[in-house]
Amino acid sequence: SPKFHIIPTRCKNVIIDGITVKCPWNAQNGDAIDISSCKDVLIVNNVIDAGDDGICMKGGAGAAGVAAGPCENINIQDNTVYHAHGGFVIGSNTDGGMQNIFVSDCNYIGTDIGVRVKSNYGRGGLVHHIFIRNIYMKDIVHAAISFDTYYENNPAGRLHNRMKDSAHDRIPDFTGFSFDSIYCRSAEQAIAIRGLPDMPISDIHFKNMIISADRGVSVTDARDISMDHVKILTPARPLYSLKAVNHFTINHGYLPNGTGVFLREDSTCNNVQVTGTDFGKNKEAIELEGRLDGR
């Protein structure tokens, strides 16, 4: 198995097919495949074992990244990622933006995070039209799916998050993601979404999913989030924890054994709806700021 990185930058018409990429677990910045500010890319039938991110999309850095334009028209399918910080990753540099990315029929086995979307003040741009379907995960160390706009894995990220008022020219805008037919056996958390107060993560749709995890779903600073036929298998309660969320819908949810708190929302949440979900006689299913609310 060859040991190298594949890092196309500002390229067009790239095909990465049938490659084995193996990076040492302790390699600094040891991403396996980095696609940065590229257009028209096919990544198919590859096997990856990496010390950092597995297949990672980057939107360029700083003014140069903005000038290069969005990373776009990417098709990623039939890949297997073993040890890596993330199976499919966006960020942390998203300055130039990303759009029209399709990920399908991939396996993530033993990665730290399955699908990982990350950025922070000062390194953000518009990331939208992202479609992810038919993903199979197993033994995920942390979250199966993670959105994080407070990523601080280097001095630049830490500085911008502490001095965010000086970094408002480049704010991560994650919107327009579709997840369909996602299956995960064993993760520490099912889904974690953490947006920014001045730029909530928005328009994220999850459909036809089964995830077994130690913990359920946490969402902070987000809007227009939907869960349709999503089954979270966890002993932890609540299954869903919401803070500063506007327009959150669950259709045909699942509460194991019909007991305990299904969804907890704080007073900053608005327009939260749960339909088609059987709570039986459980009046504690929905909780608002510690007060039972049997909606």
Side-chain angles (χ1 to χ4, degrees), residues 100-278:
N100 303 335
I101 299 177
F102 302 84
V103 184
S104 67
D105 300 286
C106 293
N107 298 286
Y108 306 141
I109 303 170
T111 60
D112 289 352
I113 296 172
V115 176
R116 186 182 193 190
V117 183
K118 59 182 180 178
S119 192
N120 56 264
Y121 283 111
R123 292 194 293 178
L126 174 61
V127 178
H128 66 152
H129 298 161
I130 314 296
F131 305 89
I132 301 172
R133 65 188 302 270
N134 294 341
I135 304 298
Y136 301 87
M137 311 183 204
K138 179 183 177 184
D139 299 331
I140 304 302
V141 177
H142 301 301
I145 299 171
S146 171
F147 286 80
D148 189 6
T149 54
Y150 289 86
Y151 181 70
E152 295 188 351
N153 200 33
N154 61 38
R158 290 193 292 271
L159 176 63
H160 280 307
N161 279 331
R162 287 198 304 266
M163 302 177 63
K164 61 184 181 181
D165 290 339
S166 65
H168 277 190
D169 55 332
R170 293 194 297 274
I171 304 176
D173 184 3
F174 297 145
T175 183
F177 283 67
S178 173
F179 293 82
D180 190 354
S181 301
I182 311 295
Y183 305 96
C184 176
R185 187 176 74 182
S186 183
E188 193 275 328
Q189 184 171 11
I191 301 171
I193 298 175
R194 185 168 64 154
L196 296 166
D198 51 346
M199 185 64 77
I201 291 171
S202 65
D203 194 21
I204 313 295
H205 304 284
F206 302 92
K207 182 179 180 182
N208 300 327
M209 296 172 50
I210 302 176
I211 299 177
S212 66
D214 296 337
R215 294 187 292 136
V217 178
S218 63
V219 183
T220 304
D221 287 312
R223 59 181 173 82
D224 299 319
I225 312 294
S226 70
M227 305 273 176
D228 187 2
H229 288 85
V230 173
K231 181 180 287 188
I232 306 297
L233 305 176
T234 177
R237 299 292 184 273
L239 270 72
Y240 294 88
S241 178
L242 311 181
K243 296 180 180 180
V245 177
N246 192 7
H247 288 284
F248 186 94
T249 62
I250 297 174
N251 182 36
H252 290 284
Y254 174 71
L255 179 59
N257 301 319
T259 59
V261 178
F262 176 76
L263 182 146
R264 177 179 294 138
E265 57 177 294
D266 74 358
S267 60
T268 62
C269 295
N270 292 288
N271 302 308
V272 176
Q273 297 183 347
V274 179
T275 61
T277 302
D278 184 9

